[in-house]
Structure formats: C-alpha cells, structure tokens
Amino acid sequence: MCIQPNDNWQWHYDAHHDRLMLDLSDRMIFATEYKGRQLVPCSFTTQPFCVDDAALYYQLMDKAVELDWSTPNQVQLVLNAIAVSRFYKPMMPQSWFFGEVHPFIIPETGALVCMNTLHGKGEFMVIEAGEQASVCLNLTDDLMLTASKILPRFGVIKVMNNRMIARVPAQTQYRQVG
C-alpha cells in the first residue's frame, strides 16, 4: 500500500541527525538523504507539505512504478526527489563525469534516464528539467564517477542534457518470441 500525502505532513530540519525530515504522523518520520550543508536557508524552519509537493508526489509516483522497486522504495525515491526539488541548493552542471550521447533527449520532470561514466552505467530520475541541463537523482547503488569519486543512491547531480538517453523499461529490452 502506498502512503497518501495529507495536510498534516510537515518538513523540518533535525539538527541532531543533520537531516531534512518529513513528519508523516505522530509515529512516522521520513528522513531524507540530505544534510544541512546541501539545503537552502528556508529548510531550517518548519514548512508544510504543500499542494505543489502533493502534485509532484503523484506525478513522480506515476514514473516510479516503471522501476522494478517495491512500493516503499518508490515512496522513498519520490519523497527524496520532492525534498531535492524544494530544498536543495542550486548547483552547477558536472557533466564531465558522463559521456556525451547523440541523439540526446530533452527530458521532462520525472523522466527516467541513463548516463554512462568511464566506470559504468547509471540510472537517474530527472527532478528539475532544463533546456540545457537538468538536476538528476541517482537511482544506482554507489555509481562510480571516477576511480576515487562515488555518487551514492539518491545522490544529486546536475548534468547537461546531451549526456542523457531515455531509460528502456526492462520488459521492452527483450523481443517476444511467439
């Protein structure tokens, strides 16, 4: 069962754990992956989970079902993505980690894309789509960017769109034999 946003949800920063949190109820708190140094100043005051957050929740959940992930993992992805969209500090593109591709896509928010490094392939969800570059959330466990730099799952990176190709869903990768 998927949790549904409601008017009681509240964003707040927990200094003890150095994390942005989302209070879901009296007995449930979601801890995002993001520390205080990564957040904009408004993150440090309590903020309601607003109508725009709820709309983005449903938009991204529609995309997250394309992943072969459990529902709790999809919810974790989407709540982290909303936190990034609303509270993450602006960043400059770091495209040099990824190979340029042709043709490339102009992604939309929520698009699932792939990018290649010299050390492997990563899957991402586009959180903020731009004309030239987009903010992406890593869906791959510990993606090696270089021999000494790793982007953890749910790590955030901004990349030029000419590095992205559309993710091919698992069920369409194989030709049906009949």
Side-chain angles (χ1 to χ4, degrees):
M1 181 182 122
C2 184
I3 61 173
Q4 303 296 317
N6 69 52
D7 295 340
N8 298 322
W9 287 13
Q10 298 282 318
W11 294 103
H12 78 276
Y13 174 73
D14 183 325
H16 178 72
H17 293 101
D18 188 26
R19 292 271 190 246
L20 179 65
M21 305 285 201
L22 179 60
D23 287 325
L24 304 171
S25 71
D26 292 336
R27 298 176 308 277
M28 195 170 15
I29 295 176
F30 174 76
T32 72
E33 300 293 321
Y34 312 109
K35 297 177 180 277
R37 65 180 162 73
Q38 299 169 299
L39 306 172
V40 295
C42 72
S43 309
F44 301 100
T45 59
T46 300
Q47 304 279 329
F49 192 88
C50 65
V51 172
D52 290 340
D53 292 343
L56 187 55
Y57 178 89
Y58 290 112
Q59 178 186 357
L60 297 179
M61 280 302 291
D62 285 346
K63 297 292 188 174
V65 298
E66 295 176 22
L67 299 168
D68 188 24
W69 290 15
S70 68
T71 301
N73 286 336
Q74 291 173 14
V75 170
Q76 180 184 16
L77 162 62
V78 168
L79 293 178
N80 276 303
I82 294 167
V84 168
S85 176
R86 185 154 173 203
F87 298 109
Y88 209 86
K89 283 183 180 175
M91 50 193 332
M92 295 298 294
Q94 297 179 319
S95 305
W96 56 84
F97 294 119
F98 303 96
E100 201 169 325
V101 295
H102 297 284
F104 61 92
I105 61 169
I106 305 296
E108 296 178 356
T109 298
L112 299 173
V113 300
C114 293
M115 292 185 271
N116 294 310
T117 72
L118 292 176
H119 304 279
K121 175 181 171 181
E123 291 187 342
F124 297 83
M125 178 179 269
V126 175
I127 305 306
E128 292 177 9
E131 288 183 25
Q132 299 296 317
S134 299
V135 176
C136 299
L137 200 63
N138 179 30
L139 306 180
T140 307
D141 287 324
D142 293 337
L143 176 64
M144 288 192 67
L145 298 177
T146 68
S148 61
K149 185 169 178 72
I150 292 175
L151 184 65
R153 179 175 273 186
F154 303 128
V156 181
I157 193 163
K158 187 171 187 177
V159 180
M160 300 297 291
N161 294 338
N162 66 356
R163 305 308 202 262
M164 300 176 198
I165 57 173
R167 177 184 178 271
V168 177
Q171 64 270 22
T172 61
Q173 289 179 347
Y174 303 102
R175 185 173 59 96
Q176 190 170 3
V177 178

